[in-house]
C-alpha cells in the first residue's frame, strides 16, 4: 500500500460527517483516572476532531500525533494552544507504527487511522501498557472495505490499464479485523472491552459527492501514485467516477452513502 499524500482542505470538505463517529466513540469513554488527564490522539489529521477531546476534558494535556506534514501544519495553525479549562492542546509528528507513550496516559484514542496501519493490533499491548490503571484505549475505523466505494476502486485498479500503476497501492481487504478479533485481543490484555459496529447513512450533496468524499480518504493512495502523470490520474478518476455514479445514484434530496464503522473501547484493569 502506498503511503498517501494528504490534502487537509479536501479532507475537511466533509468534516461534519467524518467527526460524527468520533463523537459517538467518545460518548462511550468512561471517566478518566486523573483530574488533569494526559491524552494522546493517534492520527489526528488537521486537528478538528482532536478539539472534541478538549471539550470533553478541558483540563487535559492533549497531544495529537500524525505523520503528514500538511495535516500537522493545519492543526498547529488552527487549534494548538491552551484550552478554556486550563489544559493544553498540541500536535507532534509521529508514526503510529512505532509510537509508544513516553509517560503514563489516561486516554489513548485513534479516529479513522488504524486501517492505514498494517499490523496495528500488534501495537495494542504497548499502548495498554502505557495507560494508567483505569485508563482507556478507544478507536474507530471504517469497516466497509467490501462496499462498492472500495470494491469498485480495487477492481478498476486491478484491470489491465491500471494494474501496472496501481496494482499494490490500495488498502487490502484485511486492513480491518473482525469485531470478535479486536475484542479477544483487548480482553486478553486485561481490559474491560466493548466493541460494536454502526452503519451511518450519510446524505451527501453537490456534484459527484461520493467521489468528492473518497478523494479525501480512500482514493489518496491512487492519487499519490499517479501524481506524476496528471493525464493518467484524471483518466482513472473519470472511470472511477462513472462507476460510483451507477453504484450510488442521486435522489432529489442528495446521494446516500452507507458507511459502516467499527468501534472499540477498552478500559485497563485497576
Amino acid at each position: 500500500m502506498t503511503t498517501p499524500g494528504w490534502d487537509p482542505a479536501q479532507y475537511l470538505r466533509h468534516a461534519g460527517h467524518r467527526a460524527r463517529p468520533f463523537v459517538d466513540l467518545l460518548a462511550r469513554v468512561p471517566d478518566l483516572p486523573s483530574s488533569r488527564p494526559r491524552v494522546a490522539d493517534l492520527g489526528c489529521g488537521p486537528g478538528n476532531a482532536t478539539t472534541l477531546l478538549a471539550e470533553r476534558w478541558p483540563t487535559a494535556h492533549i497531544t495529537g500525533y500524525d505523520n503528514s506534514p500538511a495535516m500537522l501544519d493545519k492543526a498547529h495553525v488552527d487549534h494548538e494552544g491552551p484550552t478554556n479549562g486550563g489544559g493544553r492542546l498540541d500536535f507532534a509528528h509521529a508514526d503510529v507504527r512505532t509510537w509508544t507513550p513516553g509517560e503514563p496516559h489516561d486516554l489513548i484514542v485513534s479516529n479513522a487511522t488504524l486501517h492505514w496501519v498494517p499490523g496495528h493490533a500488534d501495537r495494542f499491548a504497548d499502548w495498554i501498557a502505557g495507560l494508567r490503571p483505569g485508563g482507556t484505549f478507544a478507536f474507530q475505523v471504517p469497516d466497509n472495505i467490501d462496499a462498492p466505494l472500495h470494491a469498485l476502486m480495487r477492481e478498476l485498479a486491478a484491470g489491465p490499464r491500471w494494474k501496472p500503476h496501481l496494482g499494490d497501492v490500495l488498502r487490502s481487504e484485511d486492513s480491518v479485523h473482525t469485531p470478535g478479533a479486536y475484542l479477544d485481543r483487548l480482553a486478553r490484555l486485561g481490559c474491560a472491552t466493548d466493541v460494536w459496529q454502526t452503519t451511518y447513512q450519510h446524505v451527501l450533496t453537490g456534484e459527484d459527492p461520493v467521489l468528492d468524499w473518497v478523494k479525501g480518504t480512500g482514493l489518496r493512495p491512487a492519487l499519490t501514485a499517479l501524481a506524476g502523470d496528471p493525464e493518467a490520474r484524471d483518466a482513472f478518476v473519470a472511470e472511477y467516477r462513472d462507476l460510483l455514479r451507477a453504484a450510488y445514484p442521486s435522489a432529489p434530496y442528495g446521494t446516500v452513502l452507507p458507511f459502516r464503522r467499527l468501534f472499540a473501547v477498552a478500559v485497563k484493569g485497576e
Side-chain angles (χ1 to χ4, degrees), residues 62-112:
I62 303 162
T63 301
Y65 296 96
D66 209 279
N67 67 351
S68 166
M71 290 291 204
L72 287 172
D73 286 346
K74 181 69 171 172
H76 284 304
V77 170
D78 289 356
H79 303 297
E80 190 164 74
T83 62
N84 292 333
R88 179 167 180 78
L89 181 58
D90 53 38
F91 299 91
H93 183 275
D95 188 332
V96 176
R97 294 173 297 179
T98 58
W99 179 86
T100 300
E103 60 184 295
H105 276 58
D106 298 270
L107 173 63
I108 298 172
V109 298
S110 184
N111 181 46

Side-chain angles (χ1 to χ4, degrees), residues 9-264:
Q10 183 68 43
Y11 180 84
L12 289 169
R13 285 173 59 82
H14 300 277
H17 289 296
R18 298 194 198 281
R20 182 180 170 191
F22 198 38
V23 172
D24 293 343
L25 178 70
L26 296 184
R28 303 287 281 271
V29 174
D31 292 340
L32 301 180
S34 302
S35 60
R36 300 184 69 83
R38 188 69 174 97
V39 178
D41 180 8
L42 306 184
C44 63
N48 59 304
T50 314
T51 62
L52 299 173
L53 294 165
E55 294 176 10
R56 173 78 183 273
W57 294 282
T59 64
H61 178 190
I62 303 162
T63 301
Y65 296 96
D66 209 279
N67 67 351
S68 166
M71 290 291 204
L72 287 172
D73 286 346
K74 181 69 171 172
H76 284 304
V77 170
D78 289 356
H79 303 297
E80 190 164 74
T83 62
N84 292 333
R88 179 167 180 78
L89 181 58
D90 53 38
F91 299 91
H93 183 275
D95 188 332
V96 176
R97 294 173 297 179
T98 58
W99 179 86
T100 300
E103 60 184 295
H105 276 58
D106 298 270
L107 173 63
I108 298 172
V109 298
S110 184
N111 181 46
T113 294
L114 297 184
H115 56 299
W116 295 108
V117 183
H120 58 263
D122 294 333
R123 302 299 338 279
F124 291 174
D126 287 339
W127 299 340
I128 298 298
L131 291 172
R132 289 188 173 92
T136 296
F137 168 53
F139 70 88
Q140 72 86 9
V141 289
D143 189 22
N144 63 343
I145 196 70
D146 57 343
L149 183 74
H150 295 292
L152 293 172
M153 189 192 311
R154 291 195 306 275
E155 291 171 10
L156 182 61
R161 180 179 182 184
W162 299 112
K163 188 173 182 179
H165 308 284
L166 303 175
D168 60 354
V169 307
L170 300 178
R171 281 174 49 211
S172 64
E173 293 181 81
D174 61 353
S175 58
V176 172
H177 303 300
T178 66
Y182 285 122
L183 190 150
D184 183 72
R185 179 70 68 101
L186 292 165
R188 288 179 184 274
L189 292 170
C191 295
T193 304
D194 184 16
V195 179
W196 71 98
Q197 294 168 308
T198 297
T199 299
Y200 296 88
Q201 301 289 324
H202 296 302
V203 179
L204 308 180
T205 58
E207 184 178 358
D208 293 309
V210 178
L211 176 64
D212 192 62
W213 171 289
V214 77
K215 278 183 176 181
T217 52
L219 192 59
R220 298 308 304 175
L223 296 177
T224 300
L226 295 171
D229 188 344
E231 184 176 350
R233 178 199 61 205
D234 293 346
F236 179 80
V237 169
E239 289 186 47
Y240 181 49
R241 175 203 63 204
D242 292 344
L243 294 172
L244 290 178
R245 285 176 176 174
Y248 299 95
S250 62
Y253 52 82
T255 301
V256 177
L257 173 62
F259 205 101
R260 187 175 70 237
R261 294 183 183 266
L262 186 152
F263 301 76

